[in-house]
Amino acid sequence: MFDDLDIFAAVVEHSSLNRASRQLNLSQPALSRKISKLEERLGVALFNRYGKRLELTEVGRLTYSYALEQRQQRSKFLEALSKYKEGEPKLVTLGASLTSLQTTLPPLVNAYMEKYPTAELKLITGRTHEIVSSVSEGKSDIGLIASSIQEPGLRCISLFEDQLRLVVSEHHPLNQSTKLTMDDLSRLPMILFSKGTWYRRLTDDLFQRCGIDPDVRMEIDSFEAIVRLLPTVNVAALLPKSYLRPQLLNGGGLVSLHIKELEQTQRTTCLIYRDDGSLSTAARSLVQVTEEMFLTEREK
């Protein structure tokens, strides 16, 4: 009956059996028989016939609306089906820490969506141990974490090395120094990450080992907020190198300064997923894009 509904809709849209028969590549008598057969099956008249002119009955208008709905639903179904046949990825659940969300994730998502524009990403955020558990328990297909782990049942792929850098306004006095040490941070007005965050623990540990007591003016857990505030309040901050892209520094009037001791903050960002072969097509595609993006860059 659904094919007959398509034929019926074509007759309505062409307002003529003759024009519809040419478009459908059917003879006019064959087309008339199909319309009559459809009316018999439905038990109603779909057209009022005035010679060669056809006029929809009230139930004919209702049937035409239903035929259009069926056409749209079938089109959506066939489109979705073709994607599965072609192996195009659909939904993938990605777990990421807040750090990865602000540094690694934006360029990765852009690269993935550019290659698979109809794919769907669901994001789960949490701390590193929460993301590891989420992937282990199957709540997330893939995880991005700011550390390297050895966890039974999980594969861990190192993507890139990262470390903290001192960031100040281009007009800050420290930007005029030829060589900086950790001693330059003592009593220096700074914005630090909020207490309890991974980066705050990292910086507190570094300050303690180096005997540094900074002048903490603000505590914030948003990279973007810190970057926006640096030129305004003329303070310094320690931010991950991976976040400090050229367009961010140049556009914000900021500079990234090297301090030898900050190399002690180096950590590895990794991709994790279950190694039991259960990855979906979508998840495998995201793993492939991630490896191509970061591992290729690392080999340059």
Side-chain angles (χ1 to χ4, degrees):
M1 185 176 87
F2 294 118
D3 288 340
D4 291 340
L5 283 173
D6 281 340
I7 291 172
F8 163 72
V11 173
V12 174
E13 290 158 1
H14 287 82
S15 303
S16 163
L17 283 172
N18 187 36
R19 287 193 293 270
S21 66
R22 289 198 299 269
Q23 192 266 334
L24 295 169
N25 198 27
L26 285 173
S27 68
Q28 189 168 327
L31 181 56
S32 295
R33 288 194 296 271
K34 285 184 175 293
I35 295 298
S36 296
K37 183 179 178 181
L38 178 61
E39 289 178 318
E40 290 176 8
R41 294 179 65 182
L42 295 175
V44 293
L46 299 175
F47 293 102
N48 289 319
R49 293 165 172 81
Y50 302 98
K52 292 184 178 181
R53 185 168 66 87
L54 300 176
E55 184 180 279
L56 279 174
T57 63
E58 184 175 349
V59 73
R61 287 191 289 272
L62 177 64
T63 305
Y64 178 61
S65 296
Y66 177 71
L68 291 182
E69 291 175 5
Q70 291 299 311
R71 179 190 291 173
Q72 292 171 353
Q73 290 298 320
R74 182 167 59 181
S75 177
K76 291 179 181 179
F77 168 72
L78 292 176
E79 181 181 356
L81 186 62
S82 67
K83 292 173 183 176
Y84 280 103
K85 287 181 179 179
E86 296 166 2
E88 186 170 331
K90 290 301 293 178
L91 176 65
V92 56
T93 302
L94 174 64
S97 64
L98 182 60
T99 300
S100 299
L101 179 64
Q102 297 184 81
T103 59
T104 311
L105 207 56
L108 173 58
V109 171
N110 288 339
Y112 181 62
M113 298 307 295
E114 183 177 343
K115 189 169 185 178
Y116 301 105
T118 61
E120 299 175 30
L121 281 175
K122 178 181 178 182
L123 180 64
I124 296 177
T125 59
R127 297 181 178 180
T128 295
H129 72 276
E130 294 172 332
I131 298 304
V132 172
S133 297
S134 179
V135 174
S136 295
E137 296 167 5
K139 297 177 182 177
S140 298
D141 298 309
I142 297 170
L144 279 174
I145 56 175
S147 60
S148 182
I149 63 165
Q150 290 184 338
E151 188 78 13
L154 294 183
R155 185 177 181 191
C156 181
I157 301 175
S158 299
L159 299 178
F160 62 90
E161 301 295 331
D162 204 1
Q163 66 182 55
L164 293 178
R165 299 273 293 191
L166 180 66
V167 182
V168 297
S169 165
E170 59 186 6
H171 304 297
H172 195 282
L174 287 184
N175 191 30
Q176 308 305 317
S177 302
T178 56
K179 185 177 181 180
L180 295 173
T181 68
M182 288 299 292
D183 289 337
D184 292 301
L185 304 188
S186 187
R187 305 310 303 165
L188 178 70
M190 298 188 72
I191 300 177
L192 297 185
F193 291 99
S194 301
K195 291 180 179 178
T197 60
W198 185 85
Y199 274 118
R200 181 56 183 272
R201 293 195 299 270
L202 183 66
T203 54
D204 284 350
D205 179 64
L206 178 66
F207 289 151
Q208 184 178 11
R209 282 187 279 115
C210 296
I212 302 300
D213 183 23
D215 179 6
V216 182
R217 298 293 179 89
M218 300 181 189
E219 296 177 316
I220 304 174
D221 60 4
S222 168
F223 291 172
E224 182 178 359
I226 293 174
V227 165
R228 288 180 178 273
L229 285 168
L230 286 178
T232 304
V233 295
N234 200 31
V235 296
L238 295 177
L239 294 172
K241 183 180 178 181
S242 60
Y243 185 68
L244 303 174
R245 301 179 184 88
Q247 59 269 32
L248 177 69
L249 296 172
N250 298 336
L254 303 175
V255 291
S256 171
L257 305 176
H258 177 71
I259 297 178
K260 179 67 176 178
E261 291 89 340
L262 290 181
E263 294 176 4
Q264 300 174 29
T265 64
Q266 184 166 297
R267 50 82 168 158
T268 306
T269 290
C270 295
L271 176 76
I272 60 172
Y273 58 88
R274 294 184 302 280
D275 61 2
D276 58 3
S278 63
L279 280 181
S280 65
T281 300
R284 286 197 301 272
S285 298
L286 182 54
V287 169
Q288 181 180 7
V289 170
T290 305
E291 291 181 331
E292 290 174 353
M293 179 176 177
F294 290 103
L295 299 187
T296 301
E297 183 67 25
R298 193 170 66 185
E299 293 170 358
K300 290 181 181 180

